[in-house]
Amino acid sequence: MDGFGVSFAFWVLAAITLVAAGGVMVSRNLLHAVLFLILTFVGVAGFFVLLSADFIAMAADAK
Amino acid sequence: MVYVLAALIGFVASFLLFVLPSQLIVGVYGERRIIGRMQSRLGPNRVGPFGLLQPIADAIKLIQKEALTPTQADRVVMYIAPIIFVMPAVLLWAVIPFGENMVIADIPVSLMFFLAVSALPVIATFMAGWSSNNKYSLFGAMRIVSMAISYESPLVLALLGAVVMSGTISLSGMVAWADEYTIWMVFVQPLALVIYFICASAELNRTPVDIAEAESEIVAGYLTEYSGMKWGLFYGMDIGYALAASAFAATVFLGGWTLFGLENWVPGWMIFIGKTHLFYFLFIWTRGTLPRLRADQLMAFAWKFLLPLGVFNLLIVSTERMLWAEQDYAKGLIYVFALVNIVLSVGLVYAWARFNGYRPERTPTRPRLVKQAGGYIPVGERP
């Protein structure tokens, strides 16, 4: 993992994914938890794109 | 003179092509005018020449309008739902090849990318319907979610037929395949195109199958509590999704920016835009002429009609692919497959419709009474 763009994307994605995953745990509303979970999945799909695993990323995004 | 003409064509074409908003304006205007023509009325014709500026006037009106939010609504979710709805519509265009080397992100799994991203607006519509805190909104949201689940599977099956035949899931690869074998996917896979078209119009929530916002049943579905530009984003991006689905169909089934050698003389993106608008016109046509179906009819149609046909189609295309591989991908064989598949598709649709009990209604030679047609007339109004 080298280059500024890749590491920047990694840290942004990490922040989004972690915050969303935390949101799944703390939200009192069930539907908010579901929406946070979807955001978590999108973040994980982004990680797969960073790993050059495009197909898995699309599968993770399409669920 | 030639240069002036070329510049004019270039200007008009770049207006048509390069800015998505202008594409939307053309889409909205064209849709309203064409539907007006189909329904024996004029459509917008007051603002600007031929009413061309009507979409802009609508947008200005919508921006001025107060965006109301119900007191009991989930404000945050209701606010971000239109934003999430817009995002994929712009994202989808990243993988569509407009011409040779004219694709923003030429990723090797662009077909999967398109399918994955085009599933996102369903989440946005569900957010909109749920957060409005209105029973009709929730009804609309539930309907669109169930419909998306029902229609996604035959859609993917139909596209799998095209993928198996061309052996690639890259959209540029599909265009190259069509160029190499000098045939469009629509001739090799006619059934796949029919299934894709029906499923796409269901996914896009357009009029023959727009049970999610059926005005006569549930006020406006998930859009009931929306007003102003928030509603405008939903409305405008519906057109955007229709255009993206048309562009996708043109790429997969009509050979994208190639036209049997003509692309050496005309810019490829012009051919591509022409094909896109051909499909878009088909969407408008079905919208203007067909009546709306019931929710249960739609579900039954997806699971009992389209899904088995998609499986049959996949079986046929897999067999053909194996035969083709044994013949070392002979170029002439693909035309034989095309002929066989067209005949088989018509036969399959007819046979499966008969099997399911859908009989073709012939044009009645003489008028029938309501009672004969199975209707009921209240006692007081009997002639």
Side-chain angles (χ1 to χ4, degrees), chain B residues 82-304:
Chain B
I83 301 170
I84 294 184
F85 193 75
V86 169
M87 192 183 60
V90 185
L91 214 57
L92 285 177
W93 291 94
V95 293
I96 305 265
F98 283 91
E100 200 169 12
N101 302 322
M102 276 176 74
V103 48
I104 299 168
D106 196 8
I107 51 176
V109 288
S110 40
L111 196 139
M112 277 288 284
F113 177 88
F114 194 94
L115 288 177
V117 173
S118 61
L120 288 178
V122 177
I123 296 167
T125 45
F126 185 76
M127 284 165 72
W130 178 80
S131 63
S132 300
N133 199 12
N134 178 330
K135 286 192 178 63
Y136 291 115
S137 295
L138 194 58
F139 275 142
M142 296 311 291
R143 279 181 172 195
I144 198 166
V145 168
S146 58
M147 198 162 72
I149 291 171
S150 308
Y151 276 87
E152 194 77 33
S153 26
L155 187 144
V156 173
L157 269 177
L159 285 176
L160 206 54
V163 167
V164 166
M165 205 63 200
S166 64
T168 172
I169 54 171
S170 149
L171 290 178
S172 328
M174 286 199 153
V175 176
W177 184 88
D179 198 26
E180 188 186 343
Y181 293 101
T182 339
I183 193 164
W184 287 348
M185 191 58 86
V186 56
F187 298 122
V188 191
Q189 288 285 297
L191 195 55
L193 176 65
V194 172
I195 296 173
Y196 172 79
F197 189 77
I198 295 170
C199 293
S201 54
E203 295 260 303
L204 294 166
N205 199 21
R206 293 180 63 83
T207 287
V209 284
D210 70 336
I211 54 162
E213 43 187 288
E215 297 91 359
S216 47
E217 300 167 24
I218 45 173
V219 182
Y222 58 93
L223 295 173
T224 307
E225 298 290 355
Y226 276 90
S227 61
M229 201 56 207
K230 282 200 258 178
W231 178 86
L233 284 179
F234 276 111
Y235 175 74
M237 281 309 136
D238 262 348
I239 311 272
Y241 281 115
L243 277 167
S246 317
F248 182 72
T251 309
V252 174
F253 289 104
L254 287 192
W257 46 270
T258 60
L259 195 70
F260 307 127
L262 192 72
E263 71 267 15
N264 297 327
W265 305 93
V266 182
W269 49 267
M270 276 186 170
I271 298 170
F272 176 73
I273 287 290
K275 284 175 180 173
T276 302
H277 278 272
L278 182 78
F279 269 109
Y280 186 60
F281 177 73
L282 279 179
F283 276 121
I284 297 174
W285 195 1
T286 50
R287 180 179 189 161
T289 45
L290 291 176
R292 179 183 296 131
L293 281 93
R294 267 192 343 249
D296 60 318
Q297 288 172 333
L298 267 176
M299 298 302 151
F301 189 66
W303 291 110
K304 282 155 70 180

Side-chain angles (χ1 to χ4, degrees), chain A:
Chain A
M1 206 177 278
D2 40 14
F4 173 73
V6 173
S7 38
F8 181 73
F10 174 79
W11 287 112
V12 169
L13 276 174
I16 290 174
T17 312
L18 284 178
V19 168
V24 178
M25 289 190 293
V26 297
S27 50
R28 308 285 299 170
N29 193 325
L30 190 62
L31 208 116
H32 289 172
V34 169
L35 295 176
F36 274 127
L37 191 62
I38 292 168
L39 190 58
T40 316
F41 284 147
V42 171
V44 171
F47 283 130
F48 279 118
V49 171
L50 283 185
L51 290 170
S52 308
D54 290 350
F55 191 86
I56 302 174
M58 298 315 152
D61 189 28
K63 287 173 283 296

